[in-house]
Amino acid sequence: MTLKPRLSKDVIGNEVENAATIPSRYYNDPELYKLALERIFARSWQFATDTDKVKEPGQIFSWMCGEGGLNEPLMLTRDEANKLHCLSNVCTHRGAVLIAEDCNLKQIRCRYHGRRFTLDGQFVTAPGFEDVCNFPAQSDNLPSVPLETFGKFIFASLAPAFSFEDLIGDMRKRTAFLPLDKSYFSAEHSRDYFVNASWALYCDNYLEGLHLPYVHPGLSEVLDAKNYTTELLPFGSLQIGGANNPKDAFDLPKDSPDYGKSIAAYYYFLFPNMMWNFYPWGLSINLVLPLAVDKTQIRFLTYIWDQSRMAQYSPADIDQTEQEDEVVVEAVQKGVRSRLYDRGRYSKRWEAGVHQFHQYITKSLDVD
Ligand code: FES
Ligand SMILES: [Fe+2]
């Protein structure tokens, strides 16, 4: 038996036709998993929520960014001047989490020792600190985190490795014809899935259409394989699913780069872990949230703008597709543990997005 060789980081190659996939330790090694949380996730843009959750001055939305993996307590606040902020949700005194539930407040008060902050994160008072030197200082304010919006959708990043526009510029332009701001969140059609596989394996699977006829017979009836294309973006990729039947297609405006084509879906992958899937009836956002080296939560959030078109490739069909994907992705996780497998090659026609994603992973982790 030959043991897996250890390979250097540039080994995946810049040209898809010459390259080989990332070594399987990228899916198995707990140290690489931890490194990915710091070097990939902590430097990425993550979806927070939509503006409906922080509409009024005083409203606060708190969440654990990357719960289970990154675990960063953050909050969105709308101040008196109607300005939106993303702040650390951790008190600058001894580290208590400040806001546990969504609420509407004039000031934030820590429930541990009563320290107060304004809604833009400025320190106000701290009981018992009257005779403390050099106090308060800048470090007593709540750290503020970069925040960006795409329509009604809000994103935050602890320390962005790339600009938000580089991430979503193409998506913003190409989906400008859709009534995103009129869409509403549907809890009924949203749910979480738990997959026994690495977050990166789950993304790999999303990034190629090669498996569609084998894994998703139902979806393959909707999509036209001849008109399935992949476009690489600066920090992600776009797969366009051509429609087999014009009734499944978008009504595209004349200024769309795709005008005249019959398109059933735009599948945007945004580095490192977000999928934004646009259908004629609405949007399915999939957040890939690592929980452990081989455990991943997938949060499906559904936003609807045209209920009348939901009969075509609806959330029920999406659920079916997801379950079919989970079966293969979990099987691959077992396969990449094999002592007899380390890596494979890419299909140039179908797997350019996977190749680009692997390059991004190896460059971000920067290990030998
Ligand atoms: S931890 Fe917040 S006031 Fe002490
Ligand atoms: Fe799939």
Side-chain angles (χ1 to χ4, degrees):
M1 188 178 77
T2 315
L3 287 178
K4 296 173 186 183
R6 280 183 82 83
L7 296 152
S8 69
K9 67 190 173 208
D10 59 352
V11 80
I12 78 164
N14 285 331
E15 288 153 351
V16 64
E17 60 269 42
N18 291 318
T21 61
I22 46 176
S24 53
R25 66 193 175 96
Y26 279 82
Y27 306 114
N28 290 323
D29 181 339
E31 292 308 313
L32 287 182
Y33 167 74
K34 276 191 237 151
L35 207 58
L37 293 178
E38 296 314 314
R39 294 196 182 160
I40 296 178
F41 283 83
R43 297 176 186 175
S44 68
W45 289 97
Q46 293 295 317
F47 176 62
T49 187
D50 63 71
T51 48
D52 294 340
K53 283 267 168 46
V54 273
K55 245 192 206 143
E56 313 290 336
Q59 262 185 301
I60 302 179
F61 169 81
S62 71
W63 85 109
M64 188 65 85
C65 183
E67 184 157 19
L70 194 59
N71 280 327
E72 187 62 44
L74 294 177
M75 62 176 144
L76 292 170
T77 63
R78 192 176 283 282
D79 69 16
E80 302 254 297
N82 213 18
K83 191 164 182 260
L84 210 49
H85 304 270
C86 184
L87 304 171
S88 168
N89 191 13
V90 176
C91 181
T92 51
H93 175 217
R94 295 230 323 270
V97 168
L98 291 162
I99 303 290
E101 283 174 4
D102 300 353
C103 50
N104 195 310
L105 298 171
K106 289 219 173 338
Q107 282 190 345
I108 297 160
R109 185 172 68 96
C110 180
R111 62 190 152 169
Y112 197 1
H113 313 97
R115 184 173 287 214
R116 284 176 185 272
F117 306 90
T118 59
L119 293 186
D120 61 358
Q122 299 302 301
F123 170 92
V124 183
T125 55
F129 277 66
E130 295 74 18
D131 42 12
V132 171
C133 304
N134 303 322
F135 185 86
Q138 178 64 28
S139 56
D140 293 297
N141 299 327
L142 294 174
S144 148
V145 168
L147 162 161
E148 294 279 359
T149 54
F150 161 60
K152 68 190 292 182
F153 304 107
I154 307 171
F155 297 72
S157 174
L158 295 174
F162 43 85
S163 82
F164 186 66
E165 280 315 305
D166 279 350
L167 181 67
I168 67 123
D170 186 273
M171 185 164 95
R172 199 192 282 284
K173 260 193 253 141
R174 208 181 290 237
T175 63
F177 74 99
L178 293 170
L180 283 179
D181 285 345
K182 291 209 185 79
S183 69
Y184 58 91
F185 176 67
S186 169
E188 181 197 343
H189 295 110
S190 299
R191 61 170 286 195
D192 287 341
Y193 297 89
F194 293 87
V195 184
N196 290 316
S198 147
W199 69 276
L201 268 189
Y202 186 89
C203 295
D204 287 357
N205 175 68
Y206 175 87
L207 285 165
E208 46 90 356
L210 186 58
H211 72 276
L212 296 182
Y214 307 102
V215 178
H216 308 302
L219 176 57
S220 298
E221 281 171 24
V222 179
L223 298 179
D224 171 9
K226 289 188 301 304
N227 287 315
Y228 194 95
T229 59
T230 303
E231 294 180 21
L232 301 183
L233 307 172
F235 292 95
S237 54
L238 164 63
Q239 294 171 86
I240 301 181
N244 260 334
N245 187 329
K247 79 170 176 34
D248 295 327
F250 285 104
D251 299 319
L252 293 169
K254 282 218 168 79
D255 60 354
S256 162
D258 307 313
Y259 182 68
K261 293 184 196 153
S262 187
I263 290 175
Y266 289 104
Y267 303 109
Y268 275 95
F269 180 72
L270 308 179
F271 283 167
N273 68 326
M274 288 187 289
M275 293 133 188
W276 287 63
N277 307 302
F278 297 85
Y279 303 104
W281 53 263
L283 166 65
S284 169
I285 304 170
N286 313 152
L287 308 175
V288 181
L289 306 170
L291 300 175
V293 64
D294 58 357
K295 278 208 175 8
T296 305
Q297 177 176 357
I298 322 294
R299 180 159 289 163
F300 272 56
L301 305 171
T302 300
Y303 286 81
I304 301 168
W305 54 70
D306 187 353
Q307 190 121 29
S308 72
R309 297 205 61 182
M310 281 186 86
Q312 293 127 15
Y313 198 64
S314 69
D317 303 310
I318 292 174
D319 180 68
Q320 169 73 26
T321 302
E322 170 59 18
Q323 300 202 27
E324 292 163 350
D325 278 324
E326 286 181 15
V327 172
V328 283
V329 170
E330 290 186 348
V332 174
Q333 183 71 43
K334 289 182 186 140
V336 295
R337 285 188 199 122
S338 163
R339 289 158 194 81
L340 303 175
Y341 174 86
D342 191 43
R343 49 210 308 235
R345 300 290 305 278
Y346 301 102
S347 151
K348 188 175 178 184
R349 158 81 174 93
W350 292 98
E351 294 178 311
V354 186
H355 172 243
Q356 183 208 30
F357 177 55
H358 288 178
Q359 285 188 305
Y360 168 74
I361 289 178
T362 50
K363 282 181 186 145
S364 305
L365 295 186
D366 194 26
V367 290
D368 288 326

